[in-house]
């Protein structure tokens, strides 16, 4: 076994990329999981609100300003940073091909909020 390690020394350069990939994968997994969890919780809340509004029709009127506010916030975010709309797959492909350069942090938090 010692001869194997002498003939094949540990390549720390590749190892550092593996570690970085693991860390990034864990962080991305947490962000996506939290995003999906928030969407699921909000869906439950919206369903409960609309079920409650079947008996109280005036609650639907309260929904209109909230929906308009959400649309205005999303419209503002998209007008400031068009990269946050859509799935993000074309942006990832563009970055991997070296055809597109963008700052990841504004895209991440604005897409998350939107």
């Amino acid at each position: 076994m010692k001869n194997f390690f002498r003939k094949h020394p540990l390549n720390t350069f590749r190892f550092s990329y593996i570690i970085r990939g693991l860390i990034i994968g864990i962080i991305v997994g947490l962000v996506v999981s939290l995003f999906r969890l928030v969407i699921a919780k909000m869906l439950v809340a919206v369903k409960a609100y609309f079920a409650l509004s079947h008996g109280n029709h005036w609650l639907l009127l309260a929904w209109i300003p909230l929906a308009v506010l959400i649309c205005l916030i999303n419209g503002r975010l998209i007008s400031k940073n068009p990269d946050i709309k859509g799935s993000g797959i074309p942006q990832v492909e563009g970055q991997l091909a070296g055809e597109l350069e963008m700052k990841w942090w504004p895209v991440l938090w604005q897409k998350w909020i939107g």
Side-chain angles (χ1 to χ4, degrees), residues 3-74:
N3 289 336
F4 176 80
F5 288 116
R6 285 185 186 154
K7 290 180 183 176
H8 307 309
L10 183 63
N11 187 339
T12 57
F13 182 73
R14 287 184 181 173
F15 187 69
S16 70
Y17 273 101
I18 292 170
I19 297 299
R20 287 181 195 174
L22 284 171
I23 292 169
I24 290 170
I26 290 170
I27 292 170
V28 168
L30 289 172
V31 168
V32 170
S33 296
L34 185 60
F35 182 72
R36 303 266 319 219
L37 179 67
V38 168
I39 288 174
K41 297 291 184 184
M42 289 177 67
L43 182 60
V44 169
V46 168
K47 283 182 177 181
Y49 183 83
F50 278 109
L52 185 62
S53 69
H54 282 293
N56 302 316
H57 297 296
W58 60 270
L59 287 175
L60 288 176
L61 292 176
W63 182 259
I64 293 171
L66 181 62
V68 170
L69 179 65
I70 291 170
C71 289
L72 289 173
I73 290 170
N74 280 338

